[in-house]
Amino acid sequence: MSENQFAEDALLAHIHASVPGAAHVLVGPGDDMAVIKVHGGHLLAAKDVLVEGRHFLASASMAQIGRKAVTRNISDVAAMAARPVAILAACVLPRSITQARAQELVDAISHTAARFGAPLIGGDTCLHVGNGPLTLCVTVLAEPLEGVKPILRGGARAGDQLFVTGALGGSLAKDGGGHHFTFEPRLAESHALARLLGANLHAMMDLSDGLARDGSRLAEASALQAVIIAEQLPCTPACVQAHTQAKAWQGALGDGEDYELLFAVAAGVQMPSTIGPNNTPITCIGSLQALPFPNDTALLCLHNHQSVDVSKLGHWHDSI
Ligand SMILES: [Mg+2]
């Protein structure tokens, strides 16, 4: 790679290393949400960007785009086992957009956010200078649940069991639609997990860039190695259809945009097979162990009891 080439991970590393801390910043860049101390309590904040051509096709409806811009932020709130309280939205609109479509977009953002108890409280809009793509930026604010500390990525311990909610893979249909537009953030499930497990829920995040990438992130944050058993991965019907039954596990690791929860539970804790008001399935997909040697890979995937290289699977465009 030339020195002029952009590498997102290098930029993230730069941000993580260079952003100054502050006494009131309890969790800075690098988790699903930041946590800041404010008078009387804690406030959580996160921001996501959504760009035409990257996160949706030009053929997507304003309703789909507005909904997704909010739900992927709410998924980050779920990852922390927190409660959303408000959103702010910024839209950079193509010059060709009509008044009706712009209003449809804003309505979709506002209605979706209100459904999660997080009203749209402000933001900004402007038109592109040239023929730039529709670009949305949503900030979500949240508060901790009563008596529940935000669940971070870095709290896992050696020996923990690793679980996911729901099923993985096949999120993006060939026509550009699919689960990435229709998913329901696992907010109720995350709250139920936090209440059920208490201090035994060691770490959690939502899966946006694919389990191969995000599983590495959780393990790295905890200075551990995630061991994933390919045969145990729950795959969606769309994943099986797209990859065939034999290779569906690769889709579960790499397709991304699942917006399911990945979480680490203390060893020995007996888990139910479902969680939350909708009886969402939960599946043990592996465990966490101490790194066999320093700088070893953060994620080991076993298929037929053999280690397989999954480092090229997953997306590399998630938030900071
Ligand atoms: Mg996230």
Side-chain angles (χ1 to χ4, degrees):
M1 184 182 296
S2 83
E3 64 183 84
N4 290 325
Q5 205 170 347
F6 173 74
E8 187 185 38
D9 266 22
L11 179 61
L12 296 184
H14 170 76
I15 292 168
H16 297 169
S18 63
V19 170
H24 65 290
V25 178
L26 304 180
V27 178
D31 217 301
D32 290 280
M33 298 188 80
V35 183
I36 53 178
K37 206 160 133 187
V38 292
H39 182 65
H42 294 154
L43 180 68
L44 293 87
K47 182 190 284 289
D48 253 333
V49 70
L50 208 65
V51 183
E52 180 184 315
R54 169 66 95 172
H55 302 100
F56 58 89
L57 299 179
S59 57
S61 71
M62 292 293 122
Q64 286 175 315
I65 297 164
R67 181 189 190 280
K68 181 174 180 178
V70 174
T71 48
R72 64 204 302 262
N73 273 270
I74 300 294
S75 185
D76 280 327
V77 180
M80 308 295 283
R83 179 188 297 118
V85 293
I87 69 154
L88 297 123
C91 312
V92 188
L93 304 165
R95 299 195 72 81
S96 59
I97 198 162
T98 64
Q99 185 69 24
R101 278 170 64 79
Q103 287 184 6
E104 199 187 329
L105 176 66
V106 174
D107 287 348
I109 292 171
S110 170
H111 292 159
T112 307
R115 188 159 66 79
F116 292 100
L120 176 63
I121 58 167
D124 197 10
T125 63
C126 74
L127 284 179
H128 270 293
V129 176
N131 293 321
L134 174 57
T135 304
L136 300 177
C137 223
V138 172
T139 299
V140 64
L141 304 174
E143 64 180 357
L145 290 184
E146 292 79 10
V148 176
K149 281 188 186 166
I151 312 297
L152 309 183
R153 298 178 177 186
R157 297 174 206 170
D160 279 359
Q161 314 166 73
L162 199 54
F163 286 86
V164 291
T165 57
L168 309 177
S171 179
L172 178 65
K174 275 188 181 152
D175 65 0
H179 176 79
H180 73 109
F181 278 137
T182 60
F183 72 91
E184 273 293 302
R186 298 301 196 186
L187 203 54
E189 290 80 358
S190 100
H191 294 177
L193 285 168
R195 298 219 183 279
L196 173 73
L197 294 168
N200 284 325
L201 179 58
H202 288 169
M204 189 155 66
M205 68 183 296
D206 71 319
L207 293 172
S208 52
D209 286 356
L211 176 61
R213 183 73 199 115
D214 289 332
S216 296
R217 286 180 168 139
L218 187 141
E220 272 166 19
S222 301
L224 295 171
Q225 183 177 59
V227 182
I228 307 277
I229 313 297
E231 289 82 358
Q232 290 178 209
L233 293 173
C235 303
T236 65
C239 180
V240 173
Q241 195 174 18
H243 297 275
T244 74
Q245 185 75 50
K247 293 191 171 172
W249 62 275
Q250 294 176 9
L253 280 156
D255 284 353
E257 301 224 55
D258 302 299
Y259 301 105
E260 296 292 350
L261 297 170
L262 172 70
F263 56 101
V265 178
V269 173
Q270 292 293 317
M271 292 290 287
S273 58
T274 64
I275 195 77
N278 300 316
N279 295 318
T280 304
I282 52 177
T283 307
C284 183
I285 59 164
S287 60
L288 289 140
Q289 65 180 17
L291 279 168
F293 53 89
N295 300 322
D296 199 354
T297 173
L299 187 138
L300 183 69
C301 179
L302 299 177
H303 182 246
N304 289 334
H305 307 287
Q306 302 287 316
S307 167
V308 284
D309 181 9
V310 295
S311 61
K312 299 290 186 290
L313 296 177
H315 298 260
W316 298 72
H317 59 77
D318 196 17
S319 59
I320 55 174

